[in-house]
mmCIF file of all heavy atoms in Angstrom:
data_model
loop_
_atom_site.group_PDB
_atom_site.id
_atom_site.type_symbol
_atom_site.label_atom_id
_atom_site.label_comp_id
_atom_site.label_asym_id
_atom_site.label_seq_id
_atom_site.Cartn_x
_atom_site.Cartn_y
_atom_site.Cartn_z
ATOM 1 N N ILE U 59 78.531 52.597 147.884
ATOM 2 C CA ILE U 59 78.610 54.028 147.573
ATOM 3 C C ILE U 59 77.491 54.741 148.331
ATOM 4 O O ILE U 59 76.332 54.324 148.267
ATOM 5 C CB ILE U 59 78.468 54.289 146.061
ATOM 6 C CG1 ILE U 59 79.573 53.565 145.293
ATOM 7 C CG2 ILE U 59 78.502 55.793 145.762
ATOM 8 C CD1 ILE U 59 79.406 53.621 143.780
ATOM 9 N N LEU U 148 75.668 72.292 130.462
ATOM 10 C CA LEU U 148 75.863 72.664 131.871
ATOM 11 C C LEU U 148 74.564 73.211 132.465
ATOM 12 O O LEU U 148 74.183 72.855 133.584
ATOM 13 C CB LEU U 148 76.935 73.759 131.975
ATOM 14 C CG LEU U 148 78.349 73.320 132.280
ATOM 15 C CD1 LEU U 148 79.300 74.515 132.144
ATOM 16 C CD2 LEU U 148 78.449 72.783 133.706
ATOM 17 N N LEU U 168 87.031 70.980 123.363
ATOM 18 C CA LEU U 168 87.053 72.446 123.279
ATOM 19 C C LEU U 168 88.476 72.993 123.231
ATOM 20 O O LEU U 168 89.397 72.389 123.778
ATOM 21 C CB LEU U 168 86.324 73.033 124.494
ATOM 22 C CG LEU U 168 84.885 72.517 124.710
ATOM 23 C CD1 LEU U 168 84.304 73.088 125.995
ATOM 24 C CD2 LEU U 168 83.988 72.867 123.528
ATOM 25 N N ALA U 209 94.194 60.826 141.429
ATOM 26 C CA ALA U 209 94.780 60.221 140.233
ATOM 27 C C ALA U 209 94.487 58.730 140.225
ATOM 28 O O ALA U 209 94.693 58.041 141.227
ATOM 29 C CB ALA U 209 96.282 60.471 140.203
ATOM 30 N N LEU U 228 102.007 60.657 137.375
ATOM 31 C CA LEU U 228 102.316 59.268 137.021
ATOM 32 C C LEU U 228 103.804 58.946 137.118
ATOM 33 O O LEU U 228 104.611 59.841 137.233
ATOM 34 C CB LEU U 228 101.820 58.989 135.612
ATOM 35 C CG LEU U 228 100.319 59.268 135.430
ATOM 36 C CD1 LEU U 228 99.958 59.248 133.963
ATOM 37 C CD2 LEU U 228 99.515 58.241 136.188
#
Side-chain angles (χ1 to χ4, degrees):
I59 301 173
L148 264 172
L168 306 176
L228 304 168

